[in-house]
Amino acid sequence: MFTFFTIVFGLIWAVASFILLFKVWDSIGPAVLSISKSHVVQMAAMAIVWLVIFGIPAWLWMKIFG
């Protein structure tokens, strides 16, 4: 049962964090674009934002329940 809940909540959180990524990126994206025109830097910034939104809660979930 725990595996089922982990998979269901993980999928819900993955979709929610993906949507939240673009909501957050709408506000900080222009700042990143003004700092650097390099696509590599922009992709790295977006990956870092996504890791903060998705990775930290997923890591905490596994620490608490895994």
Side-chain angles (χ1 to χ4, degrees), residues 35-66:
I35 293 171
S36 173
K37 299 296 180 193
S38 169
H39 290 296
V40 174
V41 172
Q42 294 167 12
M43 290 294 289
M46 187 176 257
I48 290 168
V49 169
W50 186 78
L51 281 173
V52 168
I53 292 171
F54 178 77
I56 292 173
W59 178 78
L60 286 173
W61 175 271
M62 291 309 293
K63 274 296 211 192
I64 293 170
F65 299 109

Side-chain angles (χ1 to χ4, degrees), residues 12-50:
I12 291 169
W13 184 246
V15 170
S17 67
F18 192 68
I19 293 168
L20 187 61
L21 169 66
F22 289 107
K23 297 287 185 187
V24 170
W25 193 253
D26 283 343
S27 61
I28 66 169
V32 173
L33 288 172
S34 68
I35 293 171
S36 173
K37 299 296 180 193
S38 169
H39 290 296
V40 174
V41 172
Q42 294 167 12
M43 290 294 289
M46 187 176 257
I48 290 168
V49 169
W50 186 78

